[in-house]
Amino acid sequence: MFAPQVASRPPSSRDSPQLRPQHSRSELEIGQTTGIPAPVFTPSLHRSLRKDHEDLHLRQRSTATFAPLAAETKEQEAPEERTPIFFRPRTSILDYTELMYQGSDRMRGLVTCFWTIVGAYLLSLLFSHYERSGEVMAGGLASVIFSRAADLILSDLALVASTAVVVPLVMLWVKVADPRRGRSAVVVQAAAEVSWLAFWYAWQGSRGWPWAQRCFFALHTVVNWMKVHSYLSTNRRLACTLRTVDELRADTSGDSKDAEALEAELCPYGTRFPSNVTLSNYAMFQLSPALVYELEYPRTAHIRWGYVAEKLAGTAGIFVVFYIVVAHLVIPHLERMPATGVGIATLHLMGPMATCWLLFFFITFDSIANGFAELTRFADRRFYDDWWNARGLDEFSRKWNRPVHMFLARHVYMPVREAWPHPLPASSALARVRRAVPPSVAAMAATFFFSSILHELTIVVACHRWNYAVFFFSQMMQIPLIICSEKLPWFRNQQALRNWAFWLAMVSFQPFLLCFYTYPAFAKSTSLSVVSSSAAAAAAAAANMVAVNATSI
């Protein structure tokens, strides 16, 4: 078993190895390179590690962080051990450029085969459309997607710029106000975040944008809120630690070991808090493809501009493919949905929606995330794991979108798990609930609840329609299903069957949600112009549903 060692000062990220060309991906994954930032084990994390022994079975299912370096070569044989979140140089599993450069033949051919089949299918689809209508590609949707583009760009730039207000707020905690006194710092942070979210949601609702623009802006608002929350929470905790260290050093009768242990939290890699509280440091975090704030991240030696150009071209190409699939395969079935019914439309959309979902994965995690990582020299490219092998929603959520998963792990799962066993009066109802429910189950339920609320809020804001919280309840229903699947020995041991059952549910339920949320727009259509407008909106809704799934835990 992995035995954590307290690291007083891990190597600086400036000394971390270059990803290319000194080391191959296999070397980086098994930890044979030197200079990789090691985790810092704080007292709270030590307590969390000890709590893992309470419920080994549930811990394996709800693990929230990375596996240790020595265990990554045995991912298939042994479950992950729960260790603190940290970053180190890694490449993406399906990054085609890295696969070609390293000469890996395990996944390279699969990626090549996938895009070859997609290209052949699209050529056949466009040729069939040309034979029927005399035009190569349907262009009505483009006018809706790109309408009011300048307004959207300016609003999005203002949204990102407004997040910089967190820097002076942290400076206030460091130099003026003591964040340890009462709950004033937590209240101020919560009020600032809620006010910021309310303002930009109201701004989005007042602009009169089409569905596509509302969808993009709503999702980007959520992403920026996650960055703001992680930045404020991490630096508020460090500000409390800094004041405690200063008091311990001023008290000559105190134990110096406590001050040294807390000092490791203030200077985990090389940069010591509060020297990181600068606009330049926050701007780099804002541009980095990470939602969990750290004082430093592992960096590559230089920017490969050819790689950036390749990812930019890949983004444009995948967007064109996405447009073709939505315009030619999704919209026609949605237009006929009032006559054929939701069930028939769902059956027709199972293939196209699964294709849109895969395309969204590639454009988000392979092109955009890797492109921004290269521009910021962000060396940890592990944006996803082998989600195609998932045997349930809990495992899929951990592997499909690691940046969001890491955010929920640090700021929802771990705080709830640590706070759950705190003593309460024995006669209180909450105390009885805490004794009956293991901390890992309570933390998992809280994480699912928070994620479900965030999903539903994003859909309501983007679509301007509330459909009885269907998405919220569909996610919360996963909790008893996950527990039941683990309690049934005959089903728990059927790995292939669980994988099949999961993917059948994913492929069928996503198009059903799309039809359910867009049916009112088509049912109210009374003219051809209204139908065309609703079709364009529904196409954007398809992108919205796929995008929202990317923010799952």
Side-chain angles (χ1 to χ4, degrees):
M1 180 175 291
F2 176 67
Q5 300 293 329
V6 177
S8 59
R9 183 185 179 279
S12 170
S13 62
R14 293 187 295 269
D15 302 326
S16 61
Q18 301 180 24
L19 283 179
R20 299 158 299 275
Q22 285 84 348
H23 308 291
S24 66
R25 179 176 178 274
S26 60
E27 290 176 324
L28 290 172
E29 289 208 345
I30 62 178
Q32 292 179 349
T33 58
T34 58
I36 296 176
V40 175
F41 289 83
T42 62
S44 61
L45 289 174
H46 272 302
R47 292 194 302 270
S48 181
L49 287 171
R50 287 196 298 269
K51 293 171 188 174
D52 284 345
H53 297 282
E54 297 174 352
D55 196 340
L56 177 62
H57 181 62
L58 289 174
R59 176 177 56 80
Q60 293 173 357
R61 181 168 48 79
S62 57
T63 178
T65 51
F66 293 148
L69 301 181
E72 285 205 359
T73 57
K74 300 181 180 179
E75 286 183 348
Q76 303 301 325
E77 293 82 359
E80 292 184 351
E81 295 292 330
R82 186 171 182 269
T83 61
I85 295 174
F86 65 98
F87 296 85
R88 58 189 179 84
R90 283 171 290 201
T91 58
S92 298
I93 300 175
L94 299 179
D95 190 346
Y96 191 78
T97 303
E98 297 295 342
L99 293 174
M100 293 294 292
Y101 183 84
Q102 297 164 6
S104 174
D105 57 355
R106 292 187 299 173
M107 301 297 295
R108 180 181 57 191
L110 176 64
V111 177
T112 304
C113 177
F114 172 79
W115 287 116
T116 302
I117 294 175
V118 169
Y121 179 74
L122 290 179
L123 286 177
S124 176
L125 180 65
L126 294 177
F127 184 73
S128 299
H129 181 75
Y130 177 77
E131 288 182 326
R132 292 193 306 267
S133 61
E135 60 179 2
V136 178
M137 187 184 304
L141 181 60
S143 60
V144 177
I145 292 179
F146 295 105
S147 63
R148 304 187 62 181
D151 188 16
L152 177 64
I153 293 174
L154 292 176
S155 298
D156 194 60
L157 291 175
L159 167 74
V160 175
S162 67
T163 62
V165 71
V166 299
V167 178
L169 180 57
V170 174
M171 290 181 177
L172 181 67
W173 286 336
V174 173
K175 298 180 179 180
V176 181
D178 189 347
R180 300 172 301 173
R181 294 179 179 175
R183 296 184 177 272
S184 58
V186 177
V187 172
V188 169
Q189 177 182 341
E193 293 179 14
V194 171
S195 301
W196 184 87
L197 269 177
F199 173 81
W200 286 110
Y201 277 156
W203 175 269
Q204 180 253 22
S206 65
R207 304 308 295 170
W209 288 329
W211 227 334
Q213 284 81 344
R214 295 205 307 265
C215 167
F216 169 80
F217 196 82
L219 289 173
H220 204 203
T221 302
V222 171
V223 169
N224 278 273
W225 169 78
M226 289 181 177
K227 286 180 174 285
V228 166
H229 179 79
S230 184
Y231 185 87
L232 288 177
S233 299
T234 302
N235 283 287
R236 175 170 54 81
R237 176 181 59 81
L238 292 175
C240 296
T241 303
L242 177 64
R243 291 183 179 272
T244 302
V245 169
D246 293 341
E247 291 178 357
L248 289 175
R249 289 178 174 174
D251 184 9
T252 56
S253 61
D255 189 356
S256 62
K257 293 183 178 180
D258 294 337
E260 293 177 0
L262 293 176
E263 181 66 27
E265 296 187 36
L266 299 176
C267 187
Y269 302 121
T271 300
R272 186 183 186 276
F273 181 85
S275 61
N276 63 298
V277 186
T278 61
L279 286 175
S280 59
N281 179 274
Y282 177 74
M284 186 61 71
F285 169 61
Q286 180 64 242
L287 293 174
S288 299
L291 299 178
V292 172
Y293 178 74
E294 293 285 354
L295 276 68
E296 283 188 278
Y297 300 97
R299 303 288 180 184
T300 55
H302 60 276
I303 300 175
R304 298 174 296 171
W305 293 104
Y307 182 88
V308 175
E310 177 187 329
K311 294 305 177 183
L312 182 62
T315 301
I318 298 175
F319 179 81
V320 172
V321 175
F322 189 89
Y323 176 91
I324 294 173
V325 172
V326 171
H328 293 266
L329 297 177
V330 176
I331 287 181
H333 295 296
L334 292 178
E335 289 177 339
R336 295 191 292 267
M337 182 170 54
T340 60
V342 173
I344 299 299
T346 299
L347 291 175
H348 282 296
L349 291 174
M350 290 173 65
M353 280 298 295
T355 304
C356 289
W357 182 74
L358 288 174
L359 292 173
F360 183 85
F361 165 78
F362 277 105
I363 198 173
T364 302
F365 299 109
D366 183 72
S367 296
I368 297 177
N370 275 308
F372 273 97
E374 190 68 26
L375 285 173
T376 57
R377 296 173 39 237
F378 187 82
D380 194 340
R381 312 289 172 89
R382 188 186 178 186
F383 305 122
Y384 55 89
D385 286 329
D386 56 335
W387 47 264
W388 45 88
N389 293 324
R391 294 154 297 181
L393 184 64
D394 55 334
E395 183 181 356
F396 175 81
S397 301
R398 294 193 299 269
K399 294 182 176 182
W400 155 253
N401 186 345
R402 289 199 61 84
V404 171
H405 163 65
M406 292 169 62
F407 173 87
L408 295 175
R410 170 173 288 187
H411 298 293
V412 181
Y413 181 91
M414 295 177 70
V416 172
R417 181 164 183 154
E418 292 183 1
W420 189 252
H422 284 184
L424 290 173
S427 59
S428 64
L430 184 58
R432 291 193 293 271
V433 172
R434 285 186 172 183
R435 287 195 298 268
V437 179
S440 57
V441 176
M444 180 188 67
T447 305
F448 265 90
F449 179 80
F450 178 83
S451 177
S452 302
I453 291 291
L454 199 61
H455 279 75
E456 189 65 32
L457 177 63
T458 304
I459 294 178
V460 170
V461 171
C463 302
H464 287 186
R465 180 181 293 111
W466 183 69
N467 280 9
Y468 308 104
V470 173
F471 206 104
F472 171 81
F473 289 111
S474 66
Q475 286 222 151
M476 292 303 296
M477 286 173 56
Q478 300 299 321
I479 298 177
L481 291 177
I482 291 171
I483 297 177
C484 290
S485 64
E486 293 294 336
K487 295 296 183 181
L488 299 176
W490 65 270
F491 187 72
R492 183 179 65 235
N493 298 328
Q494 299 296 325
Q495 308 301 330
L497 178 61
R498 293 177 62 184
N499 187 249
W500 274 103
F502 169 75
W503 281 113
L504 287 175
M506 287 288 290
V507 170
S508 60
F509 196 65
Q510 284 187 349
F512 170 76
L513 283 178
L514 172 65
C515 294
F516 186 83
Y517 273 90
T518 57
Y519 183 84
F522 289 94
K524 295 179 181 179
S525 302
T526 56
S527 64
L528 182 61
S529 61
V530 175
V531 171
S532 300
S533 175
S534 298
N544 174 56
M545 295 304 298
V546 177
V548 168
N549 275 283
T551 61
S552 61
I553 59 174

